[in-house]
Amino acid sequence: MSGKRGLTHNHANRILDGSSMEEAAARLLPDLSAPSCELPSWGKISNERAYKAFGKLNISREISNVLLDGEKEDLTTYQGNIENAIGLLKMPLGVAGPLRINGLSAKGDFPIPLATTEAALVASYHRGCRTITAAGGCSAIVLNESISRAPAFIFESSTDACRFVVWAVDHFESFQKIATTTTAHGKLIDLGCTVEGNHVYANFEYTTGDASGQNMVTLATQAICDEIIATCPVKPTRHYIESNLSGDKKASSRAFSSARGKKVTAEVKLPQEIVRKFLQTTPRDMEDYWKISAIGGVLSGTIGIQGHFANGLTALYLATGQDAACVAESATGITRFEALEDGSLYASVTLPGIMVGTVGGGTSLPTQQACLKMMGLAGNGKSRALAEVCAGLLLAGELSIIAALSAGHFSRAHRKLARTRKPS
Amino acid sequence: MSGKRGLTHNHANRILDGSSMEEAAARLLPDLSAPSCELPSWGKISNERAYKAFGKLNISREISNVLLDGEKEDLTTYQGNIENAIGLLKMPLGVAGPLRINGLSAKGDFPIPLATTEAALVASYHRGCRTITAAGGCSAIVLNESISRAPAFIFESSTDACRFVVWAVDHFESFQKIATTTTAHGKLIDLGCTVEGNHVYANFEYTTGDASGQNMVTLATQAICDEIIATCPVKPTRHYIESNLSGDKKASSRAFSSARGKKVTAEVKLPQEIVRKFLQTTPRDMEDYWKISAIGGVLSGTIGIQGHFANGLTALYLATGQDAACVAESATGITRFEALEDGSLYASVTLPGIMVGTVGGGTSLPTQQACLKMMGLAGNGKSRALAEVCAGLLLAGELSIIAALSAGHFSRAHRKLARTRKPS
Amino acid sequence: MSGKRGLTHNHANRILDGSSMEEAAARLLPDLSAPSCELPSWGKISNERAYKAFGKLNISREISNVLLDGEKEDLTTYQGNIENAIGLLKMPLGVAGPLRINGLSAKGDFPIPLATTEAALVASYHRGCRTITAAGGCSAIVLNESISRAPAFIFESSTDACRFVVWAVDHFESFQKIATTTTAHGKLIDLGCTVEGNHVYANFEYTTGDASGQNMVTLATQAICDEIIATCPVKPTRHYIESNLSGDKKASSRAFSSARGKKVTAEVKLPQEIVRKFLQTTPRDMEDYWKISAIGGVLSGTIGIQGHFANGLTALYLATGQDAACVAESATGITRFEALEDGSLYASVTLPGIMVGTVGGGTSLPTQQACLKMMGLAGNGKSRALAEVCAGLLLAGELSIIAALSAGHFSRAHRKLARTRKPS
Amino acid sequence: MSGKRGLTHNHANRILDGSSMEEAAARLLPDLSAPSCELPSWGKISNERAYKAFGKLNISREISNVLLDGEKEDLTTYQGNIENAIGLLKMPLGVAGPLRINGLSAKGDFPIPLATTEAALVASYHRGCRTITAAGGCSAIVLNESISRAPAFIFESSTDACRFVVWAVDHFESFQKIATTTTAHGKLIDLGCTVEGNHVYANFEYTTGDASGQNMVTLATQAICDEIIATCPVKPTRHYIESNLSGDKKASSRAFSSARGKKVTAEVKLPQEIVRKFLQTTPRDMEDYWKISAIGGVLSGTIGIQGHFANGLTALYLATGQDAACVAESATGITRFEALEDGSLYASVTLPGIMVGTVGGGTSLPTQQACLKMMGLAGNGKSRALAEVCAGLLLAGELSIIAALSAGHFSRAHRKLARTRKPS
């Protein structure tokens, strides 16, 4: 099936993985059973309070020990994750949730570990998580998956650039084979070429199993470039493994047209009473604010429309050993709130570029691995679920901040929680 | 002095602080004296190797102990920086540099602490730092300072919106007084109003001393809004403390027209021999690649033109207790490389939105404070210097990655350094 | 009064021109008196039908003759507006309206001449105009005025760039004097400098009387540049009269932060019955569609949020002798629709960059001048009114297209009107 | 062949149309034979001078009569192109060129008719055209073709949205059949679906023969929507024929990821002597300026990097009966200038969204048809050639303006040519 519709078709097949549409749809329905536990927020923190939470959340001693009683570690534990090591940075970890996710891959009540030094952040996301869970959870779906390297090939003329493109798209199958020689998990799924004068920006798109995959696609694309240089009859005068088109480490409009990592959506429908009880406002007030903020974002020239994706995403990326610098590219997307005719609130977030893995990178470091295990999302087969949890968390964060802003509580919350800090 | 030129005039006065232009210019010249120390890179890490580095860098035992031999801490240390605390996250810290900065505020050879879990990152920035230092250091200048909250005021009509704006700009001095009642360090410096139909997006701009200042401007603006509601003859039907126009936590084009936090530039001129020796390429090859990558960025619809600001910035923000979520807004700007006629390379970075403080937020937490002290940038009077160091570091990172990409070494470096990781 | 608030204050004084806020506000209220005439749409066109319309609209024979019975003209009439002339292009002109504008400058019922070759365009705008007029007209306000040239100055170092900026802002008054030597109508009102490495992008902002003003600001800025080069102690290595920062002839996010030409807003409140009668839909359906289309625009990476500003603006720019290429920069902004609690529809458009003049350019050519006269907007003192009419027309166009799309009539209208064309 | 590479493959086959790569490449080479004629610029205009030019250009009396001696026309000539007609607008037409195009479709020396009222525009483009022609012409290639309608479908949940997408991509062939019932020339070639929460933005992409095609794709997509509503098992709660995602009438980043209309590139290599003789500057100075202007554009938040595409494009769109409002979407892209090692200048333009047709719209109106005929581009089979001519013209315009700006002649040219205007 040619064209973009073919990519969509293939993704659907991959993600359904043999289950029927009806089975998939059933997983995504709200689940109104009682949450696995109730976890009220605590601003006054202590080790004791932390153990109490671990107990409630039914988290094993093995995990809590790593996070709370960690033995002094030798730096060699971090070999391969850093150079010029001079020590360890310590950041406090808070927990939000449990957050009920009814995802294609993630299913259940997830405690969400968040690493941050910013007062009010965990409390705000926690409030949003509890709200979602009280409503039976949010649905979450990985809409697309792709990670790319975009080499540039420079030619004498645009004529040669075009000849190269025709050759390259016709040699795609051989590129796929070359890619498999460098990686067992990565799979080349498409090649999109942009000709600009005598330049070709060639976007090689891959799936990368459960790794975030930036290194994997670099190595595979290097091998492909080597082959191109060796065999292509249209010789480039110069070429580069990356042309800055792939969107690596920066927000780009382009992500909306395809995907960067995992494209995910999460949504929830909140009855008016839940909005009132948990968020102290109304669906109508939230939609009213949403409209203002959408235009505020547009006036300031942002990419997408959203409130503070970066806050929760950074905290969760850090806690789970992701590359936090990817927040620059991941924290874009669309938040949408609507007051429905039945009085409830529809809320969704859609992110085109969640960059997460459950293997590789920093995921196997002690505290990071403990955080992944706490969520049941460590190791192979879990990256889509982690992406869905990300989307659910950000939905929670948007609900909480928009509620605070629409109800006029925003500055109050910040004043109160930051004030508990010890004088420095 | 009215208009934007008045703001520029005021900033110049603030930042020169009594010194003459000639004195200021002299500080910014390259310093070709020998670096404070030579620090070759080490990929094989250990506590012993770390202590050796501390020795070379002449860093006190007090600091190295916190980073390497830290006593087990109680969570209460983090009171006021987190809620729902359940433990501590540990990330490895590497050091890059020393990086010589010839800034208006920062002056000297700075060891740069970087927290990351991504292989090759520290090694790459370190290479760039050494290159800059070998050339006598980079100049760095805080070009502008401002942090804002942007409340929205909603009216019956655009007529009322305009009447409100006229009233508000004429009551600016009284807003300034109100702001001082909520903060000793923050100072309201301007008010820019955007009318969109019957909405007013009012951008209150502040300087915030040495704090990053988001909370400070929230509280000051809340007090101003309270006063407006109480006294303005043109009553809004609704208002919100933040309209999503301020650019908080997201990349925006708007930052280029003003500033978000600190607007900083850093530049260096590298002789051809230094480019060859430290970066294994040539100025011409680097400019050639820069042009490709500039267009790659534009084709993908990014804001600004740059390579990987997010990498170094995230690592330095984390190490120094900044709000790492601000990378989403800070990691934009312009990188520019030019091969000069004398054969050398001109390289600069300009970032409109560096969000840093040396007091407040996470800056006083144990390991973060140790990192600031290691650089000599802890406490009051240091935030501009930290912003200049940020710019210098990102310049180093752009030099290193563009060198690697232009010389075809990019994938090799990633393969080599990631491969030393222990199997998980 | 320093800062951006000073510019706002000055603009308010200029535009109120001595009248009180209350007087100004009174002009902007809806006027529910009967329209000056009723002009039903006619798809079947002829000279007779045109004369009938001229009669209804009470347009003088002098004007209608130029538009309909024009004597064969000699090309010399166009001397100074074109080079290498080989003839005349003829485009059909339609009329929409009358459109009632309750503006600060424009006040009354305006017939709107539109030059286009696209079927359905005039009919669609006409429908929108009639709707607005039936509701008592739209208010319209010129929110800001400024047109700039942005020379670039290149220095050896960013240090010199900063020294230059400090010198330049302190010599602003002398630049103002120089500007007056080149133009009687242009006035330099601000200078905003952007430093990027060793480059200075200096934005000289002017008001230009009733001319669109691009040539005027070019000549004034050239004179200023000449003076700078002659007298500034910090010598640039190169400089250019325009750096591509001014936004000339292209859509830019930057326009939202200031203005480009005239920043204008227009708004109307439409009772439900009028929406139903004239637009065959409901306020709620229109808001529902507006939300979809806002997100559609954001997903596609446009600047601002709007439907089809370019259509009406091009047709009116052409008819009135404006530079139609400026549509590229002018056709951005924000359209906003809200269904109010009282059942009515609030609709507004805000455009940051309307580039219009009523003198100079193509405004004095025969048919173009006739069109301006038909609206009563030829000559000095009329450019703000013309900008307000532009905004009102685009509001009409947004109402009409969003109504068609929300009611499902969009494709039907296009099919019907294009079908009347003679077979070619 | 699935994916985007399949679309590229199909486009290559369509455009090569049986000829080999070598044959195609040969057409694109510079042609150094003498130009068909030399046409020096004339600022002092008259009917006599125009006839002289027609003679030189060997343009038939039939055409020149329409442009210069046009009989008084009845409005009924314009039936179907306008409603509410009240007359004719007259704009002066100038000629630039001949411009030598070595395109895949356009081949030869083209006189370029330009309709504008702006002094200096024709002279500037003419200078650029002569420069290109003197260098043997520019190559030009249509890189991609596609025009879309993007309906929105609204569902109860994102789950239903996804189910709809899976259904829709699997029914693509039936949509293709439906499209053929509404149009003989349009062909549905792909469907790209963007899910945002419970919304689906479905982009139906077509080729449209030699028509610009907006109405054609509207009618075809309406028929497809009707079928979807009638047969799709997943029922949308609402749907709209256009969601504002297609990029119709506005600049969008999205165009770079696909195409909007025709994506075209044109390039030329200019020897140093030609740059000096025709443009009074040097390749190095032109590249130096280009870099400044590229960053100026980025700082102002434009889409793409270019100088003044809108000027030439508007003038040529008007002259040839295109929808001039499409300039808003078409006038984006990339201009790139490089001083090569051999001392010559490489210059290219790439535009992702040229919206042109040689049938339909305003193309058959008398003066517009005459302009098309003057270029030999009227009627079927000519639209790709017209798109290539557009790209070549804009390349000429970029060469001319960048030369003027880099040599410091910009303001002088404007002063001189505008001054010849008669006092009004």
Side-chain angles (χ1 to χ4, degrees), chain A residues 144-158:
Chain A
N144 202 350
E145 285 177 305
S146 164
I147 172 88
S148 68
R149 266 290 155 223
F153 299 90
I154 316 306
F155 296 90
E156 290 284 343
S157 65
S158 54

Side-chain angles (χ1 to χ4, degrees), chain B residues 256 284 287 291 295 298-299 304-305 334 336, chain D residues 256 284 287 291 295 298-299 304-305 334 336:
Chain B
F256 286 116
R284 169 60 52 199
E287 173 173 334
K291 282 187 279 193
I295 288 173
V298 168
L299 287 170
I305 293 176
I334 306 286
R336 180 159 51 85
Chain D
F256 286 116
R284 169 59 53 199
E287 172 173 336
K291 282 188 277 192
I295 287 174
V298 169
L299 287 171
I305 293 177
I334 306 286
R336 181 157 51 82

